[in-house]
Amino acid sequence: PSCRKLVNYQFATDIENDQDADQFGVFKLDVADESSLETLDYELGAIQNNLSTTRRVILESYDNSPLIEERMAQRRARDAAIVSACTNLLPELDASTIDALKSNAAFNELDSILPIPKGLLRPNQEQSLAKYVSAQIKRHSPASVQDIETKAVQDYCDATLDNNESWQEAHQSAQQSIAQVIERHLQNLVWSDHKPIRATLGTIRVAAWNVLERKPNGIHPVLPILTFVKGSKEERKKSVARLEHAMLHPSAVVAHAHAVVQWTLEALNTHDAVCLSEVGAPVVNALQNTDLVVSISKPTQHQSLNPSRITKDGGACEGRTAVVARSGKIFPDIPVMVGTKVRSLACLRLNNVFIVSVHVPRRAGGNSRCPEAGGGLFAAREALQNISESLLAVGDWNGNVELIGGIRVGKPTTFADVVLHPKSHGIDGALSLCSKDRVKVEYYT
């Protein structure tokens, strides 16, 4: 299939009942592709449900009666003694103070079997003590004990089910089925939430694309916005988890890296350079196995004294940027620091123009994705101004690049913008410095 199908979004300007459609356009997940993702989620959900049913059937097949009875027998005498002591003590609580109760035989009998919490022995706690004693009569009754021990045995069986051969076979079969389903849907798992753009400066044409790095914190924010992810909170969480698992499956990650390279090669047939952002190790490796000139930035650095758990565990996005061309000279990265995050922007010199791949760090906070939020725009411009020659910086600015003299597409460039900020002019764009030519930005076609 055509590499252009890798971006599973289409641009439409004729949307029924949308007053702004003709002016701004609408960027939406392609119906066929979203339908395929929904089908994938349904198939994975069916496997998951079948496995859950198998687990329940296996657990229900266990005869837990002997083990439950054994556990009840071990505590029967103590439970009976507690119920007896509580029953004897309860009538005396109404007429006695806490201090008087401490010399009561029934009280001391109960305290010797089941030490009474010290908080209940403070002055004026007679009512609380009475409630506690009544609760212990119920808790240690034969019916309650049976419920407690039944649950304990069931939990034990559930925790040790991995040792069951039938379950092992069912689980292995399910994992194979999941892998097969994912393999069938690989072409639907290489998409990005950004639409690629093109920047033209004089005779230089640069394509740019945020490729959506295949890491949990890279893809997780996007998946809940898919229109078919509906139902209860628990149902939505399960759908997101299934789709996340599919997109992060090793075969899907490899397919995504291959797709990015193929798109880059196609783009270089009509463009002088390609700027990529949200680039991770699989894409880096795939690019470096070509004969192209590839400027790859360092991974994003996190300098927080209290980094997130996913950052400490090494599961956060690398957040690299890359400039790819058939010729050119690689230059050092340009670091941009926003808060405690340092993003490095890859740089390559081509025909006396510095081409920089941009992915500006987002400003922390709930509105950080908003095109009006600003993010690290001004920090990025300040860093870029260290290059005193003609420069073209293209990519994901995570804000309104026009605030620092840049140009945007004029329409949404991300799925999130369509959902959250439908009148956005896009967070992807370009900035030209030290050039007499005016940069033009449009969708990549």
Side-chain angles (χ1 to χ4, degrees):
S2 167
C3 293
R4 291 190 180 90
K5 291 187 179 293
L6 299 177
V7 187
N8 293 338
Y9 289 95
Q10 65 179 11
F11 180 71
T13 57
D14 186 16
I15 303 298
E16 185 177 1
N17 298 325
D18 191 332
Q19 298 295 324
D20 299 315
D22 291 335
Q23 182 179 358
F24 298 105
V26 177
F27 191 55
K28 65 175 185 176
L29 195 63
D30 184 272
V31 174
D33 291 322
E34 186 169 33
S35 176
S36 296
L37 287 174
E38 184 174 9
T39 299
L40 167 64
D41 181 47
Y42 176 81
E43 293 181 14
L44 293 176
I47 296 171
Q48 191 178 67
N49 290 337
N50 287 338
L51 187 61
S52 296
T53 299
T54 299
R55 185 183 189 92
R56 177 176 55 78
V57 169
I58 292 175
L59 289 172
E60 289 177 351
S61 69
Y62 289 173
D63 180 9
N64 294 328
S65 301
L67 183 55
I68 295 172
E69 176 55 34
E70 179 183 343
R71 292 174 63 92
M72 291 181 64
Q74 292 174 354
R75 57 179 293 177
R76 186 169 285 123
R78 180 173 181 270
D79 288 321
I82 291 173
V83 171
S84 176
C86 288
T87 302
N88 293 333
L89 176 62
L90 197 58
E92 302 185 32
L93 293 177
D94 292 336
S96 301
T97 64
I98 294 295
D99 287 339
L101 283 171
K102 291 180 180 179
S103 60
N104 184 283
F107 176 89
N108 291 322
E109 179 185 1
L110 175 60
D111 193 42
S112 66
I113 306 169
L114 181 68
I116 296 174
K118 292 182 180 180
L120 297 176
L121 302 180
R122 296 195 300 265
N124 304 317
Q125 291 297 312
E126 290 81 7
Q127 286 187 344
S128 296
L129 180 58
K131 291 179 181 180
Y132 171 79
V133 171
S134 296
Q136 298 313 306
I137 293 175
K138 182 177 180 180
R139 177 178 176 79
H140 293 274
S141 68
S144 293
V145 170
Q146 179 154 1
D147 289 342
I148 291 169
E149 295 304 334
T150 298
K151 179 66 166 55
V153 171
Q154 289 174 342
D155 289 345
Y156 170 79
C157 292
D158 188 72
T160 58
L161 188 62
D162 287 345
N163 299 325
N164 182 288
E165 291 186 6
S166 296
W167 170 250
Q168 291 173 353
E169 292 175 3
H171 188 267
Q172 183 177 3
S173 177
Q175 296 309 308
Q176 291 172 349
S177 297
I178 288 172
Q180 291 168 0
V181 169
I182 291 174
E183 287 288 341
R184 287 203 313 272
H185 286 269
L186 282 182
Q187 63 181 353
N188 303 309
L189 292 172
V190 296
W191 56 280
S192 171
D193 62 326
H194 282 247
K195 187 173 178 65
I197 65 171
R198 171 171 50 246
T200 304
L201 182 67
T203 60
I204 293 180
R205 285 158 54 95
V206 177
W209 188 21
N210 180 320
V211 300
L212 187 60
E213 186 172 348
R214 266 41 184 180
K215 285 280 191 173
N217 66 333
I219 65 175
H220 187 80
V222 181
L223 298 178
I225 313 174
L226 296 174
T227 60
F228 62 84
V229 178
K230 299 177 180 179
S232 66
K233 181 178 180 181
E234 186 63 27
E235 289 170 336
R236 296 196 303 272
K237 285 177 63 176
K238 287 181 178 180
S239 283
V240 168
R242 286 191 293 264
L243 292 169
E244 181 177 314
H245 173 76
M247 292 182 70
L248 297 180
H249 190 275
S251 61
V253 172
V254 171
H256 171 256
H258 177 73
V260 171
V261 171
Q262 293 304 308
W263 180 86
T264 300
L265 290 169
E266 181 184 272
L268 287 176
N269 289 332
T270 53
H271 294 70
D272 300 287
V274 169
C275 292
L276 301 173
S277 56
E278 281 201 36
V279 175
V283 174
V284 170
N285 294 336
L287 287 170
Q288 291 179 335
N289 284 329
T290 68
D291 59 358
L292 302 171
V293 178
V294 184
S295 175
I296 299 284
S297 75
K298 303 181 192 70
T300 298
Q301 295 177 301
H302 301 270
Q303 300 183 350
S304 171
L305 296 177
N306 297 297
S308 65
R309 178 187 56 79
I310 195 167
T311 298
K312 290 190 289 187
D313 294 344
C317 286
E318 292 183 54
R320 296 176 185 246
T321 57
V323 183
V324 187
R326 297 194 184 278
S327 63
K329 183 177 180 180
I330 297 174
F331 274 73
D333 302 343
I334 300 173
V336 176
M337 184 171 184
V338 177
T340 59
K341 182 184 292 184
V342 180
R343 177 75 44 73
S344 296
L345 310 183
C347 185
L348 183 145
R349 189 173 185 179
L350 179 66
N351 298 337
N352 296 319
V353 176
F354 283 89
I355 309 297
V356 180
S357 179
V358 175
H359 186 200
V360 174
R362 290 194 287 118
R363 186 182 67 181
N367 294 323
S368 58
R369 287 201 65 88
C370 176
E372 308 304 325
L377 286 169
F378 296 96
R381 180 182 173 92
E382 183 178 352
L384 292 169
Q385 286 177 322
N386 290 325
I387 296 180
S388 58
E389 301 179 47
S390 181
L391 173 147
L392 178 60
V394 192
D396 177 2
W397 296 84
N398 267 315
N400 180 5
V401 68
E402 293 175 359
L403 296 175
I404 58 171
I407 302 294
R408 294 187 285 175
V409 173
K411 298 172 183 177
T413 56
T414 69
F415 187 52
D417 276 354
V418 172
V419 176
L420 304 174
H421 312 286
K423 294 186 178 181
S424 163
H425 285 202
I427 61 173
D428 297 85
L431 173 68
S432 172
L433 298 176
C434 301
S435 174
K436 62 180 181 180
D437 296 312
R438 178 176 172 81
V439 65
K440 176 185 176 182
V441 180
E442 57 193 335
Y443 286 128
Y444 170 88
T445 55

